[in-house]
Amino acid sequence: MKSDGYQNFRAALYIRALEIAPLGDDIGVMTDRISQMLKHVRFGKVYLEIHRDMVVPERATLLALKAWFRERGIETAAGITVTIDELSDFKTYCYSDDFYRDKLKGLVQMAAELFDEIVFDDFFFNNCKCKKCIAAKGDRSSPATIEWE
Ligand SMILES: [Zn+2]
């Protein structure tokens, strides 16, 4: 049996930036809830999201959570969700806009400073329909395009 308690799989938890950011310097509310969860599910890994909907938790909060999990033998990694407003038709970053490319570069750098692994949530896709993105796409097809005959 592996150290995280399961023989054939590992349980993982993904905690969104929207839940981490409000914690500030008091992670107790979250760690109390997770302690309750750990009585029933032995997580081997926890993804701590560093961005979603333009919300970025403080580094100190992320480091405190990372340390709390490490003390319990639970691995951590960074999560990044490249959304501007998930509730507004999943509005994603515009990769034709220097502001968002620079922002994403900074997020990846931050994640790499804090963690050894980074996972992009499924919002790495792009649904921007600004003039620059439409021009950049040109007449290339989209993988999401389904042509019915
Ligand atoms: Zn765009």
Side-chain angles (χ1 to χ4, degrees):
M1 186 173 288
K2 291 194 290 187
S3 62
D4 58 9
Y6 298 109
Q7 186 170 354
N8 297 316
F9 65 92
R10 287 175 47 177
L13 179 65
Y14 189 98
I15 306 175
R16 301 184 317 161
L18 302 175
E19 280 78 43
I20 297 171
L23 299 173
D25 60 359
D26 183 9
I27 63 169
V29 173
M30 180 172 284
T31 55
D32 287 350
R33 286 176 52 202
I34 293 170
S35 291
Q36 291 299 314
M37 294 169 71
L38 287 172
K39 293 178 182 175
H40 306 284
V41 181
R42 294 181 299 275
F43 298 108
K45 182 183 267 187
V46 176
Y47 294 91
L48 300 172
E49 189 176 67
I50 71 158
H51 176 276
R52 177 182 295 255
D53 289 359
M54 307 306 283
V55 173
V56 179
E58 294 292 326
R59 286 171 187 257
T61 309
L62 292 162
L63 289 172
L65 286 169
K66 179 181 176 182
W68 189 87
F69 285 112
R70 185 176 48 237
E71 289 167 10
R72 284 149 186 83
I74 299 170
E75 186 181 345
T76 54
I80 298 176
T81 299
V82 195
T83 51
I84 297 170
D85 185 356
E86 194 177 348
L87 298 179
S88 176
D89 293 331
F90 302 114
K91 187 175 182 185
T92 61
Y93 273 28
C94 171
Y95 297 123
S96 299
D97 187 320
D98 287 341
F99 172 81
Y100 290 108
R101 284 202 310 267
D102 290 344
K103 177 85 175 163
L104 181 56
K105 182 179 177 183
L107 291 168
V108 171
Q109 288 171 334
M110 175 183 169
E113 288 170 21
L114 300 176
F115 300 94
D116 294 331
E117 180 184 348
I118 304 167
V119 64
F120 286 93
D121 195 2
D122 49 0
F123 291 96
F124 194 59
F125 67 77
N126 178 286
N127 63 5
C128 184
K129 294 177 181 65
C130 78
K131 289 180 181 176
K132 285 183 184 177
C133 285
I134 290 171
K137 179 178 175 284
D139 57 3
R140 289 177 291 173
S141 64
S142 167
T145 300
I146 298 171
E147 296 181 18
W148 303 95
E149 297 199 28

mmCIF file of all heavy atoms in Angstrom, residues 79-124:
data_model
loop_
_atom_site.group_PDB
_atom_site.id
_atom_site.type_symbol
_atom_site.label_atom_id
_atom_site.label_comp_id
_atom_site.label_asym_id
_atom_site.label_seq_id
_atom_site.Cartn_x
_atom_site.Cartn_y
_atom_site.Cartn_z
ATOM 1 N N GLY A 79 -2.050 25.090 -9.532
ATOM 2 C CA GLY A 79 -3.075 25.058 -10.566
ATOM 3 C C GLY A 79 -3.245 26.458 -11.131
ATOM 4 O O GLY A 79 -3.128 27.436 -10.390
ATOM 5 N N ILE A 80 -3.466 26.550 -12.425
ATOM 6 C CA ILE A 80 -3.728 27.845 -13.063
ATOM 7 C C ILE A 80 -4.947 27.694 -13.960
ATOM 8 O O ILE A 80 -4.999 26.792 -14.796
ATOM 9 C CB ILE A 80 -2.535 28.332 -13.916
ATOM 10 C CG1 ILE A 80 -1.290 28.540 -13.047
ATOM 11 C CG2 ILE A 80 -2.891 29.619 -14.662
ATOM 12 C CD1 ILE A 80 -0.039 28.918 -13.836
ATOM 13 N N THR A 81 -5.900 28.571 -13.785
ATOM 14 C CA THR A 81 -7.062 28.631 -14.669
ATOM 15 C C THR A 81 -7.030 29.984 -15.352
ATOM 16 O O THR A 81 -7.045 31.013 -14.687
ATOM 17 C CB THR A 81 -8.370 28.457 -13.880
ATOM 18 O OG1 THR A 81 -8.337 27.171 -13.254
ATOM 19 C CG2 THR A 81 -9.571 28.529 -14.794
ATOM 20 N N VAL A 82 -6.962 29.963 -16.672
ATOM 21 C CA VAL A 82 -6.709 31.189 -17.426
ATOM 22 C C VAL A 82 -8.020 31.864 -17.838
ATOM 23 O O VAL A 82 -8.290 32.092 -19.004
ATOM 24 C CB VAL A 82 -5.813 30.893 -18.646
ATOM 25 C CG1 VAL A 82 -5.259 32.199 -19.205
ATOM 26 C CG2 VAL A 82 -4.663 29.973 -18.266
ATOM 27 N N THR A 83 -8.826 32.157 -16.842
ATOM 28 C CA THR A 83 -10.096 32.820 -17.111
ATOM 29 C C THR A 83 -10.072 34.260 -16.614
ATOM 30 O O THR A 83 -9.384 34.583 -15.647
ATOM 31 C CB THR A 83 -11.261 32.093 -16.407
ATOM 32 O OG1 THR A 83 -10.924 31.902 -15.034
ATOM 33 C CG2 THR A 83 -11.561 30.764 -17.060
ATOM 34 N N ILE A 84 -10.860 35.071 -17.294
ATOM 35 C CA ILE A 84 -11.089 36.448 -16.848
ATOM 36 C C ILE A 84 -12.367 36.490 -16.021
ATOM 37 O O ILE A 84 -12.431 37.099 -14.966
ATOM 38 C CB ILE A 84 -11.204 37.405 -18.056
ATOM 39 C CG1 ILE A 84 -9.882 37.424 -18.834
ATOM 40 C CG2 ILE A 84 -11.611 38.806 -17.605
ATOM 41 C CD1 ILE A 84 -9.958 38.139 -20.175
ATOM 42 N N ASP A 85 -13.396 35.806 -16.527
ATOM 43 C CA ASP A 85 -14.681 35.739 -15.836
ATOM 44 C C ASP A 85 -15.392 34.455 -16.249
ATOM 45 O O ASP A 85 -16.037 34.395 -17.291
ATOM 46 C CB ASP A 85 -15.525 36.969 -16.182
ATOM 47 C CG ASP A 85 -16.826 37.020 -15.392
ATOM 48 O OD1 ASP A 85 -17.115 36.069 -14.622
ATOM 49 O OD2 ASP A 85 -17.555 38.008 -15.550
ATOM 50 N N GLU A 86 -15.250 33.455 -15.400
ATOM 51 C CA GLU A 86 -15.811 32.143 -15.703
ATOM 52 C C GLU A 86 -17.331 32.183 -15.861
ATOM 53 O O GLU A 86 -17.912 31.449 -16.650
ATOM 54 C CB GLU A 86 -15.427 31.187 -14.577
ATOM 55 C CG GLU A 86 -15.623 29.741 -14.871
ATOM 56 C CD GLU A 86 -15.149 28.868 -13.719
ATOM 57 O OE1 GLU A 86 -14.474 29.357 -12.802
ATOM 58 O OE2 GLU A 86 -15.475 27.688 -13.733
ATOM 59 N N LEU A 87 -17.976 33.050 -15.103
ATOM 60 C CA LEU A 87 -19.436 33.102 -15.122
ATOM 61 C C LEU A 87 -19.983 33.921 -16.286
ATOM 62 O O LEU A 87 -21.181 33.993 -16.491
ATOM 63 C CB LEU A 87 -19.953 33.658 -13.790
ATOM 64 C CG LEU A 87 -19.602 32.803 -12.568
ATOM 65 C CD1 LEU A 87 -20.126 33.451 -11.291
ATOM 66 C CD2 LEU A 87 -20.140 31.383 -12.717
ATOM 67 N N SER A 88 -19.093 34.572 -17.042
ATOM 68 C CA SER A 88 -19.514 35.351 -18.192
ATOM 69 C C SER A 88 -19.108 34.592 -19.461
ATOM 70 O O SER A 88 -18.130 34.928 -20.120
ATOM 71 C CB SER A 88 -18.880 36.739 -18.141
ATOM 72 O OG SER A 88 -19.216 37.471 -19.302
ATOM 73 N N ASP A 89 -19.825 33.524 -19.766
ATOM 74 C CA ASP A 89 -19.538 32.672 -20.932
ATOM 75 C C ASP A 89 -18.093 32.182 -20.943
ATOM 76 O O ASP A 89 -17.468 32.105 -21.981
ATOM 77 C CB ASP A 89 -19.856 33.414 -22.239
ATOM 78 C CG ASP A 89 -21.342 33.667 -22.407
ATOM 79 O OD1 ASP A 89 -22.137 32.854 -21.890
ATOM 80 O OD2 ASP A 89 -21.704 34.664 -23.042
ATOM 81 N N PHE A 90 -17.574 31.869 -19.778
ATOM 82 C CA PHE A 90 -16.204 31.342 -19.655
ATOM 83 C C PHE A 90 -15.188 32.253 -20.350
ATOM 84 O O PHE A 90 -14.363 31.791 -21.129
ATOM 85 C CB PHE A 90 -16.104 29.921 -20.207
ATOM 86 C CG PHE A 90 -17.032 28.956 -19.548
ATOM 87 C CD1 PHE A 90 -18.067 28.374 -20.247
ATOM 88 C CD2 PHE A 90 -16.878 28.640 -18.211
ATOM 89 C CE1 PHE A 90 -18.933 27.482 -19.626
ATOM 90 C CE2 PHE A 90 -17.737 27.746 -17.591
ATOM 91 C CZ PHE A 90 -18.772 27.177 -18.293
ATOM 92 N N LYS A 91 -15.282 33.538 -20.089
ATOM 93 C CA LYS A 91 -14.381 34.489 -20.755
ATOM 94 C C LYS A 91 -12.932 34.164 -20.405
ATOM 95 O O LYS A 91 -12.553 34.164 -19.234
ATOM 96 C CB LYS A 91 -14.723 35.919 -20.342
ATOM 97 C CG LYS A 91 -13.949 36.954 -21.123
ATOM 98 C CD LYS A 91 -14.412 38.362 -20.775
ATOM 99 C CE LYS A 91 -13.632 39.362 -21.615
ATOM 100 N NZ LYS A 91 -13.947 40.730 -21.233
ATOM 101 N N THR A 92 -12.149 33.869 -21.442
ATOM 102 C CA THR A 92 -10.752 33.475 -21.244
ATOM 103 C C THR A 92 -9.808 34.628 -21.562
ATOM 104 O O THR A 92 -10.218 35.660 -22.092
ATOM 105 C CB THR A 92 -10.385 32.296 -22.172
ATOM 106 O OG1 THR A 92 -10.550 32.710 -23.520
ATOM 107 C CG2 THR A 92 -11.257 31.077 -21.880
ATOM 108 N N TYR A 93 -8.534 34.391 -21.274
ATOM 109 C CA TYR A 93 -7.507 35.353 -21.649
ATOM 110 C C TYR A 93 -7.500 35.530 -23.168
ATOM 111 O O TYR A 93 -7.859 34.616 -23.908
ATOM 112 C CB TYR A 93 -6.131 34.848 -21.217
ATOM 113 C CG TYR A 93 -5.738 35.210 -19.798
ATOM 114 C CD1 TYR A 93 -6.682 35.400 -18.804
ATOM 115 C CD2 TYR A 93 -4.403 35.335 -19.466
ATOM 116 C CE1 TYR A 93 -6.308 35.719 -17.518
ATOM 117 C CE2 TYR A 93 -4.008 35.656 -18.172
ATOM 118 C CZ TYR A 93 -4.968 35.848 -17.199
ATOM 119 O OH TYR A 93 -4.579 36.164 -15.937
ATOM 120 N N CYS A 94 -7.052 36.704 -23.593
ATOM 121 C CA CYS A 94 -6.837 36.982 -25.014
ATOM 122 C C CYS A 94 -5.335 36.866 -25.262
ATOM 123 O O CYS A 94 -4.562 37.679 -24.766
ATOM 124 C CB CYS A 94 -7.332 38.392 -25.361
ATOM 125 S SG CYS A 94 -6.876 38.907 -27.031
ATOM 126 N N TYR A 95 -4.947 35.846 -26.022
ATOM 127 C CA TYR A 95 -3.518 35.637 -26.270
ATOM 128 C C TYR A 95 -2.973 36.561 -27.350
ATOM 129 O O TYR A 95 -1.786 36.526 -27.642
ATOM 130 C CB TYR A 95 -3.251 34.169 -26.608
ATOM 131 C CG TYR A 95 -3.589 33.245 -25.460
ATOM 132 C CD1 TYR A 95 -4.495 32.206 -25.611
ATOM 133 C CD2 TYR A 95 -3.010 33.429 -24.203
ATOM 134 C CE1 TYR A 95 -4.815 31.371 -24.543
ATOM 135 C CE2 TYR A 95 -3.324 32.601 -23.135
ATOM 136 C CZ TYR A 95 -4.221 31.582 -23.321
ATOM 137 O OH TYR A 95 -4.536 30.772 -22.268
ATOM 138 N N SER A 96 -3.825 37.405 -27.936
ATOM 139 C CA SER A 96 -3.348 38.425 -28.869
ATOM 140 C C SER A 96 -3.031 39.731 -28.150
ATOM 141 O O SER A 96 -2.553 40.675 -28.760
ATOM 142 C CB SER A 96 -4.402 38.691 -29.954
ATOM 143 O OG SER A 96 -4.659 37.520 -30.687
ATOM 144 N N ASP A 97 -3.327 39.771 -26.876
ATOM 145 C CA ASP A 97 -3.169 40.990 -26.085
ATOM 146 C C ASP A 97 -1.942 40.856 -25.174
ATOM 147 O O ASP A 97 -1.865 39.920 -24.363
ATOM 148 C CB ASP A 97 -4.442 41.184 -25.245
ATOM 149 C CG ASP A 97 -4.461 42.511 -24.497
ATOM 150 O OD1 ASP A 97 -3.399 42.938 -23.975
ATOM 151 O OD2 ASP A 97 -5.551 43.108 -24.415
ATOM 152 N N ASP A 98 -0.990 41.776 -25.334
ATOM 153 C CA ASP A 98 0.245 41.729 -24.532
ATOM 154 C C ASP A 98 -0.054 41.699 -23.028
ATOM 155 O O ASP A 98 0.662 41.045 -22.269
ATOM 156 C CB ASP A 98 1.137 42.939 -24.831
ATOM 157 C CG ASP A 98 1.795 42.821 -26.196
ATOM 158 O OD1 ASP A 98 1.858 41.697 -26.743
ATOM 159 O OD2 ASP A 98 2.243 43.871 -26.713
ATOM 160 N N PHE A 99 -1.087 42.423 -22.602
ATOM 161 C CA PHE A 99 -1.413 42.450 -21.167
ATOM 162 C C PHE A 99 -1.651 41.033 -20.646
ATOM 163 O O PHE A 99 -1.102 40.639 -19.615
ATOM 164 C CB PHE A 99 -2.649 43.317 -20.916
ATOM 165 C CG PHE A 99 -3.141 43.230 -19.486
ATOM 166 C CD1 PHE A 99 -2.539 43.982 -18.479
ATOM 167 C CD2 PHE A 99 -4.189 42.370 -19.148
ATOM 168 C CE1 PHE A 99 -2.969 43.882 -17.157
ATOM 169 C CE2 PHE A 99 -4.624 42.258 -17.825
ATOM 170 C CZ PHE A 99 -4.015 43.026 -16.838
ATOM 171 N N TYR A 100 -2.468 40.254 -21.355
ATOM 172 C CA TYR A 100 -2.798 38.908 -20.864
ATOM 173 C C TYR A 100 -1.640 37.931 -21.054
ATOM 174 O O TYR A 100 -1.438 37.045 -20.235
ATOM 175 C CB TYR A 100 -4.080 38.393 -21.542
ATOM 176 C CG TYR A 100 -5.291 39.160 -21.061
ATOM 177 C CD1 TYR A 100 -5.940 40.071 -21.876
ATOM 178 C CD2 TYR A 100 -5.755 39.007 -19.753
ATOM 179 C CE1 TYR A 100 -7.026 40.797 -21.415
ATOM 180 C CE2 TYR A 100 -6.839 39.731 -19.280
ATOM 181 C CZ TYR A 100 -7.466 40.629 -20.119
ATOM 182 O OH TYR A 100 -8.529 41.352 -19.655
ATOM 183 N N ARG A 101 -0.878 38.084 -22.146
ATOM 184 C CA ARG A 101 0.309 37.214 -22.308
ATOM 185 C C ARG A 101 1.310 37.482 -21.189
ATOM 186 O O ARG A 101 1.864 36.547 -20.606
ATOM 187 C CB ARG A 101 0.952 37.426 -23.678
ATOM 188 C CG ARG A 101 0.179 36.760 -24.814
ATOM 189 C CD ARG A 101 1.062 36.505 -26.029
ATOM 190 N NE ARG A 101 1.808 37.688 -26.426
ATOM 191 C CZ ARG A 101 1.387 38.564 -27.343
ATOM 192 N NH1 ARG A 101 0.255 38.357 -27.961
ATOM 193 N NH2 ARG A 101 2.109 39.611 -27.647
ATOM 194 N N ASP A 102 1.527 38.757 -20.858
ATOM 195 C CA ASP A 102 2.461 39.095 -19.771
ATOM 196 C C ASP A 102 1.924 38.609 -18.423
ATOM 197 O O ASP A 102 2.682 38.133 -17.580
ATOM 198 C CB ASP A 102 2.708 40.613 -19.718
ATOM 199 C CG ASP A 102 3.525 41.104 -20.905
ATOM 200 O OD1 ASP A 102 4.154 40.267 -21.592
ATOM 201 O OD2 ASP A 102 3.514 42.329 -21.139
ATOM 202 N N LYS A 103 0.607 38.737 -18.250
ATOM 203 C CA LYS A 103 -0.008 38.286 -17.000
ATOM 204 C C LYS A 103 0.185 36.778 -16.835
ATOM 205 O O LYS A 103 0.566 36.307 -15.754
ATOM 206 C CB LYS A 103 -1.506 38.640 -17.013
ATOM 207 C CG LYS A 103 -2.294 38.178 -15.826
ATOM 208 C CD LYS A 103 -2.209 39.142 -14.679
ATOM 209 C CE LYS A 103 -3.123 38.703 -13.538
ATOM 210 N NZ LYS A 103 -2.779 39.372 -12.308
ATOM 211 N N LEU A 104 -0.060 36.020 -17.911
ATOM 212 C CA LEU A 104 0.097 34.565 -17.845
ATOM 213 C C LEU A 104 1.556 34.187 -17.594
ATOM 214 O O LEU A 104 1.841 33.291 -16.793
ATOM 215 C CB LEU A 104 -0.422 33.908 -19.129
ATOM 216 C CG LEU A 104 -0.331 32.380 -19.170
ATOM 217 C CD1 LEU A 104 -1.044 31.739 -17.990
ATOM 218 C CD2 LEU A 104 -0.912 31.866 -20.492
ATOM 219 N N LYS A 105 2.481 34.895 -18.237
ATOM 220 C CA LYS A 105 3.897 34.631 -18.013
ATOM 221 C C LYS A 105 4.248 34.839 -16.537
ATOM 222 O O LYS A 105 4.930 34.009 -15.927
ATOM 223 C CB LYS A 105 4.745 35.567 -18.884
ATOM 224 C CG LYS A 105 6.232 35.351 -18.757
ATOM 225 C CD LYS A 105 6.984 36.305 -19.690
ATOM 226 C CE LYS A 105 8.480 36.149 -19.520
ATOM 227 N NZ LYS A 105 9.221 37.114 -20.367
ATOM 228 N N GLY A 106 3.740 35.919 -15.960
ATOM 229 C CA GLY A 106 3.986 36.189 -14.541
ATOM 230 C C GLY A 106 3.384 35.114 -13.641
ATOM 231 O O GLY A 106 3.992 34.715 -12.636
ATOM 232 N N LEU A 107 2.201 34.624 -14.013
ATOM 233 C CA LEU A 107 1.560 33.569 -13.214
ATOM 234 C C LEU A 107 2.367 32.280 -13.256
ATOM 235 O O LEU A 107 2.543 31.613 -12.236
ATOM 236 C CB LEU A 107 0.139 33.310 -13.725
ATOM 237 C CG LEU A 107 -0.870 34.423 -13.484
ATOM 238 C CD1 LEU A 107 -2.143 34.169 -14.288
ATOM 239 C CD2 LEU A 107 -1.180 34.557 -11.993
ATOM 240 N N VAL A 108 2.852 31.929 -14.445
ATOM 241 C CA VAL A 108 3.651 30.698 -14.578
ATOM 242 C C VAL A 108 4.951 30.845 -13.790
ATOM 243 O O VAL A 108 5.384 29.911 -13.110
ATOM 244 C CB VAL A 108 3.912 30.372 -16.066
ATOM 245 C CG1 VAL A 108 4.917 29.236 -16.213
ATOM 246 C CG2 VAL A 108 2.598 30.002 -16.761
ATOM 247 N N GLN A 109 5.552 32.027 -13.846
ATOM 248 C CA GLN A 109 6.780 32.256 -13.070
ATOM 249 C C GLN A 109 6.502 32.126 -11.577
ATOM 250 O O GLN A 109 7.272 31.503 -10.844
ATOM 251 C CB GLN A 109 7.363 33.641 -13.386
ATOM 252 C CG GLN A 109 7.981 33.702 -14.762
ATOM 253 C CD GLN A 109 8.374 35.113 -15.180
ATOM 254 O OE1 GLN A 109 7.806 36.099 -14.714
ATOM 255 N NE2 GLN A 109 9.348 35.205 -16.079
ATOM 256 N N MET A 110 5.396 32.716 -11.125
ATOM 257 C CA MET A 110 5.032 32.622 -9.715
ATOM 258 C C MET A 110 4.806 31.163 -9.312
ATOM 259 O O MET A 110 5.306 30.704 -8.276
ATOM 260 C CB MET A 110 3.760 33.432 -9.451
ATOM 261 C CG MET A 110 3.220 33.325 -8.040
ATOM 262 S SD MET A 110 1.671 34.260 -7.909
ATOM 263 C CE MET A 110 1.079 33.714 -6.328
ATOM 264 N N ALA A 111 4.067 30.430 -10.140
ATOM 265 C CA ALA A 111 3.787 29.022 -9.837
ATOM 266 C C ALA A 111 5.082 28.219 -9.776
ATOM 267 O O ALA A 111 5.259 27.373 -8.890
ATOM 268 C CB ALA A 111 2.839 28.440 -10.887
ATOM 269 N N ALA A 112 6.004 28.493 -10.706
ATOM 270 C CA ALA A 112 7.265 27.748 -10.752
ATOM 271 C C ALA A 112 8.156 28.084 -9.555
ATOM 272 O O ALA A 112 8.942 27.246 -9.115
ATOM 273 C CB ALA A 112 7.993 28.042 -12.056
ATOM 274 N N GLU A 113 8.024 29.309 -9.038
ATOM 275 C CA GLU A 113 8.797 29.675 -7.843
ATOM 276 C C GLU A 113 8.296 28.923 -6.611
ATOM 277 O O GLU A 113 9.065 28.583 -5.720
ATOM 278 C CB GLU A 113 8.687 31.179 -7.575
ATOM 279 C CG GLU A 113 9.448 32.035 -8.561
ATOM 280 C CD GLU A 113 9.114 33.514 -8.392
ATOM 281 O OE1 GLU A 113 8.637 33.910 -7.297
ATOM 282 O OE2 GLU A 113 9.311 34.264 -9.366
ATOM 283 N N LEU A 114 6.987 28.681 -6.567
ATOM 284 C CA LEU A 114 6.373 28.118 -5.356
ATOM 285 C C LEU A 114 6.222 26.601 -5.398
ATOM 286 O O LEU A 114 6.178 25.958 -4.344
ATOM 287 C CB LEU A 114 4.987 28.747 -5.132
ATOM 288 C CG LEU A 114 4.958 30.270 -4.955
ATOM 289 C CD1 LEU A 114 3.528 30.762 -4.846
ATOM 290 C CD2 LEU A 114 5.763 30.689 -3.736
ATOM 291 N N PHE A 115 6.118 26.028 -6.609
ATOM 292 C CA PHE A 115 5.817 24.598 -6.720
ATOM 293 C C PHE A 115 6.700 23.944 -7.778
ATOM 294 O O PHE A 115 7.232 24.627 -8.653
ATOM 295 C CB PHE A 115 4.342 24.390 -7.092
ATOM 296 C CG PHE A 115 3.382 24.959 -6.076
ATOM 297 C CD1 PHE A 115 2.860 26.236 -6.233
ATOM 298 C CD2 PHE A 115 3.020 24.222 -4.958
ATOM 299 C CE1 PHE A 115 1.986 26.770 -5.287
ATOM 300 C CE2 PHE A 115 2.153 24.740 -4.012
ATOM 301 C CZ PHE A 115 1.631 26.022 -4.174
ATOM 302 N N ASP A 116 6.821 22.626 -7.716
ATOM 303 C CA ASP A 116 7.610 21.877 -8.697
ATOM 304 C C ASP A 116 6.768 21.405 -9.873
ATOM 305 O O ASP A 116 7.303 20.887 -10.847
ATOM 306 C CB ASP A 116 8.257 20.649 -8.025
ATOM 307 C CG ASP A 116 9.289 21.055 -6.994
ATOM 308 O OD1 ASP A 116 9.903 22.140 -7.158
ATOM 309 O OD2 ASP A 116 9.476 20.303 -6.023
ATOM 310 N N GLU A 117 5.457 21.554 -9.768
ATOM 311 C CA GLU A 117 4.561 21.079 -10.822
ATOM 312 C C GLU A 117 3.436 22.083 -11.004
ATOM 313 O O GLU A 117 2.953 22.662 -10.027
ATOM 314 C CB GLU A 117 3.985 19.708 -10.417
ATOM 315 C CG GLU A 117 3.031 19.109 -11.423
ATOM 316 C CD GLU A 117 2.418 17.789 -10.920
ATOM 317 O OE1 GLU A 117 2.894 17.242 -9.911
ATOM 318 O OE2 GLU A 117 1.460 17.334 -11.545
ATOM 319 N N ILE A 118 3.031 22.266 -12.253
ATOM 320 C CA ILE A 118 1.937 23.189 -12.575
ATOM 321 C C ILE A 118 0.937 22.447 -13.455
ATOM 322 O O ILE A 118 1.330 21.808 -14.428
ATOM 323 C CB ILE A 118 2.441 24.425 -13.358
ATOM 324 C CG1 ILE A 118 3.539 25.154 -12.582
ATOM 325 C CG2 ILE A 118 1.289 25.359 -13.682
ATOM 326 C CD1 ILE A 118 4.289 26.189 -13.419
ATOM 327 N N VAL A 119 -0.332 22.548 -13.120
ATOM 328 C CA VAL A 119 -1.361 21.992 -13.987
ATOM 329 C C VAL A 119 -2.247 23.153 -14.447
ATOM 330 O O VAL A 119 -2.580 24.039 -13.665
ATOM 331 C CB VAL A 119 -2.195 20.887 -13.282
ATOM 332 C CG1 VAL A 119 -2.987 21.447 -12.113
ATOM 333 C CG2 VAL A 119 -3.115 20.191 -14.265
ATOM 334 N N PHE A 120 -2.554 23.153 -15.740
ATOM 335 C CA PHE A 120 -3.501 24.130 -16.260
ATOM 336 C C PHE A 120 -4.874 23.498 -16.226
ATOM 337 O O PHE A 120 -5.069 22.393 -16.750
ATOM 338 C CB PHE A 120 -3.154 24.534 -17.700
ATOM 339 C CG PHE A 120 -1.967 25.426 -17.774
ATOM 340 C CD1 PHE A 120 -0.706 24.907 -17.969
ATOM 341 C CD2 PHE A 120 -2.102 26.799 -17.619
ATOM 342 C CE1 PHE A 120 0.403 25.721 -18.025
ATOM 343 C CE2 PHE A 120 -1.008 27.623 -17.661
ATOM 344 C CZ PHE A 120 0.255 27.092 -17.861
ATOM 345 N N ASP A 121 -5.804 24.195 -15.591
ATOM 346 C CA ASP A 121 -7.167 23.715 -15.609
ATOM 347 C C ASP A 121 -7.638 23.801 -17.064
ATOM 348 O O ASP A 121 -7.014 24.411 -17.907
ATOM 349 C CB ASP A 121 -8.035 24.574 -14.676
ATOM 350 C CG ASP A 121 -9.364 23.917 -14.359
ATOM 351 O OD1 ASP A 121 -9.616 22.790 -14.828
ATOM 352 O OD2 ASP A 121 -10.164 24.536 -13.650
ATOM 353 N N ASP A 122 -8.770 23.201 -17.364
ATOM 354 C CA ASP A 122 -9.175 23.059 -18.766
ATOM 355 C C ASP A 122 -9.490 24.372 -19.458
ATOM 356 O O ASP A 122 -9.815 24.385 -20.632
ATOM 357 C CB ASP A 122 -10.339 22.076 -18.899
ATOM 358 C CG ASP A 122 -11.456 22.375 -17.939
ATOM 359 O OD1 ASP A 122 -11.334 23.332 -17.164
ATOM 360 O OD2 ASP A 122 -12.450 21.648 -17.965
ATOM 361 N N PHE A 123 -9.359 25.481 -18.785
ATOM 362 C CA PHE A 123 -9.595 26.765 -19.430
ATOM 363 C C PHE A 123 -8.360 27.288 -20.151
ATOM 364 O O PHE A 123 -8.257 28.471 -20.424
ATOM 365 C CB PHE A 123 -10.092 27.798 -18.434
ATOM 366 C CG PHE A 123 -11.466 27.507 -17.939
ATOM 367 C CD1 PHE A 123 -11.667 26.828 -16.757
ATOM 368 C CD2 PHE A 123 -12.572 27.887 -18.673
ATOM 369 C CE1 PHE A 123 -12.936 26.538 -16.307
ATOM 370 C CE2 PHE A 123 -13.849 27.601 -18.232
ATOM 371 C CZ PHE A 123 -14.038 26.916 -17.044
ATOM 372 N N PHE A 124 -7.404 26.396 -20.471
ATOM 373 C CA PHE A 124 -6.273 26.831 -21.287
ATOM 374 C C PHE A 124 -6.739 27.093 -22.717
ATOM 375 O O PHE A 124 -6.070 27.729 -23.491
ATOM 376 C CB PHE A 124 -5.156 25.790 -21.256
ATOM 377 C CG PHE A 124 -3.852 26.301 -21.793
ATOM 378 C CD1 PHE A 124 -3.238 27.404 -21.216
ATOM 379 C CD2 PHE A 124 -3.237 25.699 -22.863
ATOM 380 C CE1 PHE A 124 -2.040 27.894 -21.712
ATOM 381 C CE2 PHE A 124 -2.029 26.172 -23.357
ATOM 382 C CZ PHE A 124 -1.437 27.276 -22.780
#
